[in-house]
Amino acid sequence: MPFQSRRFLFTLFIVLFSCIYINAQKTESNVTMEIEQENSTSYSRILNMVVSVQNLNSTNFSGKIQFTYPKGFKVITGDEPLIELKPNEKKYLPVRIILPSDAKAGSSPIKVRLLDQFGNFITERIKEHIIEINNDLNLSLLTTSIYRSSSQEPLSIKVRVGNTGNISQDITLVCKIPDPENGNQFLEQQALINVKKDSTFVFTYQPSKSLSRLSSFTINVSGFRNPDKEIFNTSTIFVQNISSVQKYQDSQFSNFTEDSKNQITTLYRRIGDNADMYQLLGSGGFNLPSGFLYMRGNVAFFNNQQQPLVTNTNITLEQGKNQYTIGNINKFLEMPLAGRGVEYSHTFKKNTKLEVGFIDQNFNLIERNTFLKNGYGFFTKGTMNINNSSKTVSAGYNYRYDPYEKSSHHILGTETHYTFDKIWMVNAKVNAGLSSNETQDALKPSFSAESNYIGAFKDYNLNGNYFFSSGYYPGNRRGSVQLQQNISKSYKNYNYFGNITYSNFSPKYYFFNRPQASENIRIEMGTKLPNSKNFSFGLFYQFQNEKSNNYNNFLGNLNTNEFRELTTHRLVEQISWSHARTKQYASLTFDTGLAKYPLNDDLKFQMKLNGNYAFKKFNINTVYQSGSYYLSEYALSHLTSDNTDYKKLSVSLFYNSNFIKDKVNVSTGLSYVDDIIYGKSPSAFLNTRYTGKNFSAFLNSSWYNYSVGDLANNILTLELGLTLNLKSAVLSPDKKAKIQVFTFYDENNNNIFDTGEKPGNDYIVNINNTALKTTTDGIAMYKNVPFGKYKLKQHIQQGWYYDEYDFNVDSYTYLLNIPLHQNGTLLGNISFDYNTKTAVEFEHRASSVAFKILKGNEIVQKLESDDQGKITSFLPTGSYTIFIDTSTLPPNTYCETQSFDINIKAGEMVTVPDFIIKVREKKVNKKTFSN
């Protein structure tokens, strides 16, 4: 072929190919497809989309849509729907996609492709469906109640955790068992649970003897997500120790709350070279048929005294709302009274309490001195709202006779406490006093008032305390004025604070004419800077002014009442450092100031350095001071030498640690003090303690040496003791009864124990939440039971049952006769029905499937199938309905017939038709070909 002809054909081929290509491009661009909307939540298993297709051509369009999606997704509207479009026509195609239950969290791309009728690609769109993380976990107990008939029987707690979320989860299960002997025992297990899977955990524990003696206790199981230890569920197992003799246990008390810790301690103490002391002390109580008796005692014997010293020894009887105490009485009232005496209190129905008492102010309970020789007193006090700490009001009257002052004192007062809200709280107290003296005719009235508060105003935290008492006031603080006000505020990680304290002490006495007076003013303000890494800083200013006429004899003016004054201005810098990982802490406080002393005209420099360092079990502290910070330091140093400034150096080293599973504690330390008042004084101590289940022993020793001038001395103290822990008791002030249970087989159903009928031996009886097991004679005892209403709960066993009913215990011995009636037995079974070829993968498990038995609309029993899929139940005569709990079936299984009606007759066995478990089948796609 000539060259020109070949060139012409090649050019024609190029032109034709370009036309076809351009036409194809035009077709693609003239048919558009968009995913316009999605109406599905991130947690929904159904994804709804709307796909729009528009034909912009002038000719008809025929094609189809293809979907590409992650494994497990299913398009229920068809995988390749056909689409026909006329020129300029737009159609909307709804698409519904089902997501699998185990769809993973995150982005799931769904690709939508548009093809023409010949399968040629037109366009595609991709929709990213985001599945949010679902970390739901459920925790269920396979046994919610445990009955233990032997103290040697170990506890077995079975827990199932199911992962219903869409991510695998690492968990920790913690089982908390309260054991009085060993403390709270925490058993842990960890596991990784995959999506839509569950795991069963078994905790085994051998209870101690103390735990086995409790009539009942609870076990808590908690589940945590790792690694943040986020709790996802908790559950409680109720454990009952079955015995023929049980003691009442109040449910409001935890397993370790004991009103009475019965114990006895003996010790020997050696002080110095010639002082020996033997001491016996203890406390304990026991219940009475009405109330309880509680005793405490403390007896000391000294080698240089013939008469023992008996203190803090008394007997308390509490019956209902009444309490009686005789022996040593210590009342810290507005005018304190302490000594041997009697006290009575009564609590009324409206939470109002009245207290009265008389006290002979003799320190030793067996003192041979004349009765009332050291003075005596009387008190009464009434309190309203004793159980409401936010709103209480009280009023009281005190009388005391003082034989040394030969005076009689009376105080009548009232006190109120009121909490307005979470921020503001106010406490106020007002007292009026009246005193008289045998040698003076005039009465001395007196007065005191006190108030303190806590609150906040805007961003300022406030608290203050104010007190005033007149000179002859016979109460705790005679002739005193005390004012204290604090304020603080936080701003941008800075903490600012300020406080001012003023006190004046000038009491007056009948027998002491020389006036005593002292006054102190202290002002402090400063800030704490924001923490910088492991460091914290503080800067404070302090002003202190002290006046007193009590130190004139030290300053050379014995017979004058002239006031001496000390004024100081100080600047305090504080820095601290801590490192949690290495357990280190260090702090340094350095304050410097100028002081005006009583006998000096010039200002004197003073400073104090305080350093502390702690590392694990060690602690070191040192203090260096130059200059007198108080009038007492200045006066005592001036007494030693007129021209010597007060100086002090103190260094201490301490160590504290526990050994042998924290049963042995050792605490020891060394100290050295050198100042102008006490001289050079080294000291040391060593304290050790062993704490066991039934006893504890301790050995304490200390050594102190001081030398001031020519005076020196050593003091060595040694203390050795042993404490025996006796059986504790939960004390109750109520009237208590003994419930005597008698069970018998009532064969003729007349509820009477007739001749020929047998006792119900080894039968379990439930009274409230306490289980008792009868002896061979059909008898069980329930002791120390407070008067009141109780419920006899049904517990069917051995083919016999008793009726539930409420009864009222109103006598000290209560006879509870329980007739046992024969019941029927229900038997059932689980079976599987599935095609091995078409069945999806499933867990072939027949155990732990839950069932509910209803009588009417009330659930009377819950049970689970055993490893063979069998169920057994004992029921009283009557009609019932048994339901299977399908939520406890293995995944991918179901049960079509979920309930059966049954009729139970006494002494007969009723077999329920099998509960047939079926398995879901695989999806099979079929295609038919024909000519």
Side-chain angles (χ1 to χ4, degrees):
M1 182 180 293
F3 176 77
Q4 293 295 333
S5 299
R6 285 182 293 173
R7 183 176 181 181
F8 173 78
L9 291 174
F10 179 77
T11 303
L12 180 62
F13 176 79
I14 294 298
V15 171
L16 290 174
F17 181 81
S18 299
C19 291
I20 295 172
Y21 180 78
I22 291 171
N23 186 62
Q25 291 295 317
K26 182 178 180 181
T27 301
E28 179 185 353
S29 61
N30 287 337
V31 180
T32 62
M33 181 182 65
E34 298 293 339
I35 299 176
E36 293 199 353
Q37 64 182 7
E38 175 189 355
N39 295 326
S40 300
T41 64
S42 58
Y43 291 108
S44 176
R45 289 189 56 195
I46 298 179
L47 172 62
N48 294 309
M49 297 193 308
V50 176
V51 179
S52 65
V53 184
Q54 186 174 11
N55 181 15
L56 301 177
N57 293 314
S58 58
T59 59
N60 293 338
F61 173 80
S62 296
K64 60 182 178 181
I65 295 177
Q66 285 184 343
F67 299 95
T68 304
Y69 37 77
K71 183 180 179 180
F73 284 50
K74 180 181 180 181
V75 180
I76 60 176
T77 51
D79 286 340
E80 295 185 354
L82 301 177
I83 187 165
E84 299 285 343
L85 295 173
K86 297 179 180 180
N88 296 320
E89 184 182 6
K90 185 176 183 180
K91 285 188 177 181
Y92 297 88
L93 180 67
V95 180
R96 177 170 286 187
I97 302 175
I98 297 180
L99 280 61
S101 60
D102 58 349
K104 294 184 178 180
S107 177
S108 297
I110 300 174
K111 184 184 295 184
V112 184
R113 304 182 68 191
L114 179 63
L115 307 176
D116 63 13
Q117 59 183 340
F118 303 108
N120 297 318
F121 172 79
I122 303 298
T123 186
E124 73 176 12
R125 294 291 183 265
I126 297 177
K127 176 65 179 178
E128 295 286 345
H129 179 66
I130 304 299
I131 301 176
E132 293 187 5
I133 293 177
N134 180 3
N135 62 351
D136 288 344
L137 294 165
N138 59 56
L139 183 150
S140 60
L141 300 173
L142 300 185
T143 303
T144 57
S145 298
I146 299 176
Y147 291 88
R148 298 179 66 246
S149 57
S150 172
S151 61
Q152 303 300 320
E153 180 183 350
L155 287 171
S156 181
I157 302 102
K158 296 181 180 180
V159 186
R160 178 183 292 135
V161 178
N163 183 0
T164 58
N166 54 19
I167 57 172
S168 297
Q169 299 189 61
D170 184 14
I171 69 161
T172 297
L173 273 189
V174 178
C175 181
K176 176 187 174 184
I177 302 175
D179 197 324
E181 289 188 13
N182 304 315
N184 287 327
Q185 296 295 303
F186 295 93
L187 310 180
E188 292 189 8
Q189 292 190 34
Q190 293 185 349
L192 179 67
I193 304 182
N194 294 322
V195 178
K196 305 303 177 184
K197 299 293 183 181
D198 57 32
S199 295
T200 300
F201 302 82
V202 180
F203 296 93
T204 303
Y205 180 76
Q206 180 61 54
S208 65
K209 292 182 179 179
S210 297
L211 188 59
S212 297
R213 280 196 295 263
L214 296 177
S215 62
S216 62
F217 58 92
T218 56
I219 297 174
N220 294 319
V221 179
S222 301
F224 300 87
R225 292 187 180 92
N226 296 327
D228 298 329
K229 297 300 181 182
E230 175 193 0
I231 189 168
F232 64 82
N233 207 341
T234 61
S235 221
T236 301
I237 302 129
F238 189 71
V239 182
Q240 289 183 301
N241 292 316
I242 305 172
S243 174
S244 60
V245 178
Q246 296 275 31
K247 288 187 177 181
Y248 177 80
Q249 180 179 322
D250 196 334
S251 60
Q252 69 177 332
F253 292 124
S254 67
N255 295 313
F256 303 116
T257 302
E258 302 286 355
D259 277 356
S260 171
K261 290 187 176 180
N262 300 336
Q263 57 185 22
I264 297 176
T265 300
T266 60
L267 64 87
Y268 163 76
R269 185 180 295 119
R270 174 83 173 182
I271 305 174
D273 296 331
N274 55 3
D276 295 302
M277 186 189 78
Y278 303 88
Q279 191 172 4
L280 177 66
L281 62 158
S283 64
F286 55 89
N287 283 296
L288 300 173
S290 178
F292 66 85
L293 199 65
Y294 188 80
M295 299 169 287
R296 58 173 60 89
N298 181 12
V299 182
F301 303 88
F302 295 88
N303 62 334
N304 53 1
Q305 293 183 0
Q306 295 182 352
Q307 180 173 280
L309 180 64
V310 181
T311 61
N312 293 325
T313 300
N314 54 46
I315 299 176
T316 299
L317 172 64
E318 187 165 344
Q319 292 180 318
K321 303 295 183 180
N322 300 301
Q323 187 180 84
Y324 311 85
T325 301
I326 184 171
N328 288 114
I329 309 293
N330 298 314
K331 299 300 292 185
F332 297 97
L333 304 171
E334 189 63 26
M335 187 164 55
L337 297 171
R340 51 193 181 187
V342 293
E343 179 184 3
Y344 168 75
S345 69
H346 178 79
T347 303
F348 298 90
K349 291 183 179 180
K350 296 183 178 180
N351 292 327
T352 301
K353 186 177 183 179
L354 176 66
E355 303 170 78
V356 295
F358 178 83
I359 295 176
D360 168 28
Q361 293 196 151
N362 209 315
F363 187 65
N364 192 352
L365 186 63
I366 60 173
E367 178 64 48
R368 298 189 181 96
N369 292 340
T370 306
F371 190 62
L372 308 180
K373 180 179 179 181
N374 294 329
Y376 55 90
F378 169 81
F379 69 89
T380 180
K381 181 180 179 181
T383 306
M384 299 177 61
N385 298 326
I386 58 174
N387 294 327
N388 186 357
S389 59
S390 61
K391 297 177 182 179
T392 59
V393 179
S394 64
Y397 166 73
N398 287 25
Y399 169 78
R400 186 181 70 187
Y401 175 73
D402 187 348
Y404 303 102
E405 196 180 24
K406 296 183 179 180
S407 301
S408 297
H409 305 289
H410 307 261
I411 291 182
L412 178 65
T414 182
E415 181 178 4
T416 180
H417 176 91
Y418 194 87
T419 301
F420 295 92
D421 49 35
K422 295 181 179 180
I423 300 176
W424 286 95
M425 180 277 294
V426 174
N427 190 80
K429 186 187 300 184
V430 178
N431 291 285
L434 184 65
S435 302
S436 62
N437 186 266
E438 295 178 1
T439 60
Q440 301 181 22
D441 295 333
L443 296 176
K444 299 292 185 181
S446 57
F447 171 78
S448 78
E450 182 178 6
S451 176
N452 56 72
Y453 77 95
I454 297 175
F457 180 74
K458 293 184 178 180
D459 295 333
Y460 295 89
N461 297 315
L462 306 170
N463 68 81
N465 184 28
Y466 312 98
F467 175 81
F468 168 81
S469 67
S470 56
Y472 281 96
Y473 179 66
N476 294 321
R477 291 170 285 182
R478 173 179 291 196
S480 297
V481 177
Q482 294 179 333
L483 309 174
Q484 182 180 3
Q485 178 62 55
N486 301 321
I487 183 171
S488 64
K489 175 182 173 63
S490 297
Y491 178 72
K492 292 184 177 180
N493 295 327
Y494 287 81
N495 181 264
Y496 301 93
F497 72 92
N499 60 70
I500 179 171
T501 303
Y502 171 80
S503 65
N504 184 289
F505 180 65
S506 53
K508 296 180 181 180
Y509 302 93
Y510 286 105
F511 60 91
F512 190 68
N513 296 324
R514 183 177 178 178
Q516 300 180 50
S518 61
E519 182 181 270
N520 285 275
I521 300 176
R522 182 184 178 92
I523 301 174
E524 186 176 51
M525 61 183 65
T527 180
K528 291 185 178 179
L529 282 67
N531 292 348
S532 177
K533 294 184 178 180
N534 296 330
F535 290 89
S536 61
F537 307 89
L539 183 63
F540 322 117
Y541 164 75
Q542 292 177 350
F543 167 79
Q544 182 177 330
N545 178 267
E546 183 181 1
K547 298 178 183 178
S548 179
N549 64 356
N550 295 324
Y551 301 101
N552 290 318
N553 55 333
F554 294 99
L555 301 176
N557 297 312
L558 180 60
N559 297 319
T560 182
N561 292 323
E562 179 184 357
F563 277 87
R564 302 296 183 177
E565 182 175 358
L566 187 152
T567 304
T568 58
H569 300 267
R570 288 190 287 267
L571 189 65
V572 182
E573 301 90 16
Q574 190 179 77
I575 181 173
S576 63
W577 170 83
S578 62
H579 195 272
R581 185 173 60 84
T582 58
K583 298 181 180 180
Q584 294 187 79
Y585 172 81
S587 67
L588 179 65
T589 302
F590 181 64
D591 56 88
T592 56
L594 296 174
K596 175 65 173 63
Y597 295 119
L599 302 181
N600 298 93
D601 296 330
D602 300 331
L603 294 176
K604 295 289 186 178
F605 175 78
Q606 61 176 206
M607 59 87 69
K608 181 186 287 186
L609 180 68
N610 189 334
N612 185 73
Y613 173 72
F615 175 65
K616 294 184 178 180
K617 302 172 183 179
F618 292 90
N619 185 282
I620 301 175
N621 181 265
T622 180
V623 177
Y624 175 75
Q625 177 182 332
S626 177
S628 301
Y629 273 52
Y630 303 96
L631 272 176
S632 58
E633 294 177 345
Y634 178 80
L636 291 172
S637 62
H638 187 271
L639 182 64
T640 304
S641 176
D642 292 343
N643 300 320
T644 302
D645 292 333
Y646 178 81
K647 294 183 183 300
K648 178 180 180 180
L649 173 65
S650 173
V651 180
S652 302
L653 171 64
F654 302 101
Y655 172 81
N656 185 78
S657 182
N658 293 323
F659 304 94
I660 313 177
K661 297 181 180 181
D662 294 336
K663 292 183 178 181
V664 177
N665 174 264
V666 175
S667 179
T668 184
L670 299 170
S671 296
Y672 175 78
V673 178
D674 183 6
D675 69 357
I676 197 171
I677 301 174
Y678 299 101
K680 297 177 174 58
S681 304
S683 62
F685 75 92
L686 173 63
N687 298 335
T688 60
R689 172 177 286 272
Y690 169 79
T691 303
K693 295 180 180 179
N694 301 318
F695 74 94
S696 61
F698 56 90
L699 173 64
N700 301 327
S701 61
S702 64
W703 169 75
Y704 177 72
N705 175 274
Y706 67 88
S707 59
V708 180
D710 297 332
L711 181 63
N713 199 359
N714 284 293
I715 299 177
L716 179 63
T717 302
L718 179 67
E719 183 181 67
L720 176 64
L722 177 68
T723 299
L724 296 178
N725 299 318
L726 306 178
K727 185 178 179 180
S728 299
V730 178
L731 305 180
S732 171
D734 302 323
K735 293 181 179 180
K736 292 173 286 294
K738 177 178 68 175
I739 299 178
Q740 182 172 311
V741 178
F742 175 65
T743 60
F744 62 93
Y745 296 110
D746 188 18
E747 295 179 354
N748 57 8
N749 290 325
N750 65 350
N751 295 325
I752 298 174
F753 183 56
D754 298 316
T755 303
E757 292 181 338
K758 297 179 180 180
N761 62 306
D762 293 334
Y763 199 89
I764 297 175
V765 175
N766 279 344
I767 300 177
N768 285 2
N769 293 322
T770 301
L772 299 101
K773 189 174 184 179
T774 60
T775 63
T776 54
D777 298 326
I779 296 174
M781 293 289 183
Y782 193 19
K783 297 181 177 180
N784 295 336
V785 182
F787 282 25
K789 291 184 177 180
Y790 294 88
K791 186 177 184 64
L792 184 65
K793 293 185 177 181
Q794 191 179 94
H795 188 78
I796 302 171
Q797 69 243 260
Q798 304 171 5
W800 295 82
Y801 73 97
Y802 54 80
D803 295 325
E804 288 190 352
Y805 61 88
D806 296 332
F807 60 95
N808 186 43
V809 176
D810 54 3
S811 59
Y812 291 109
T813 300
Y814 188 88
L815 301 178
L816 183 62
N817 294 329
I818 303 176
L820 303 178
H821 305 292
Q822 195 172 19
N823 54 37
T825 304
L826 178 148
L827 301 176
N829 188 49
I830 290 175
S831 62
F832 284 86
D833 180 17
Y834 61 98
N835 189 325
T836 57
K837 295 182 179 180
T838 60
V840 299
E841 184 179 351
F842 75 102
E843 179 186 3
H844 198 293
R845 171 177 59 82
S847 63
S848 302
V849 176
F851 293 84
K852 298 178 182 177
I853 300 177
L854 279 71
K855 188 172 186 179
N857 294 323
E858 183 180 356
I859 298 176
V860 296
Q861 198 173 122
K862 294 180 180 180
L863 62 156
E864 290 183 348
S865 58
D866 60 17
D867 293 339
Q868 287 75 38
K870 297 184 181 299
I871 54 174
T872 304
S873 176
F874 301 101
L875 295 169
T877 302
S879 298
Y880 301 88
T881 302
I882 180 170
F883 286 87
I884 185 172
D885 187 354
T886 56
S887 65
T888 60
L889 293 175
N892 294 323
T893 64
Y894 63 97
C895 182
E896 291 181 344
T897 304
Q898 300 180 7
S899 65
F900 294 102
D901 293 330
I902 52 176
N903 187 28
I904 300 296
K905 295 181 180 179
E908 296 183 4
M909 291 187 179
V910 176
T911 302
V912 180
D914 283 3
F915 286 89
I916 301 174
I917 310 303
K918 295 188 177 182
V919 183
R920 304 188 189 278
E921 296 185 346
K922 300 176 182 177
K923 173 79 173 176
V924 179
N925 295 321
K926 295 183 179 180
K927 290 187 179 180
T928 303
F929 299 91
S930 61
N931 295 328

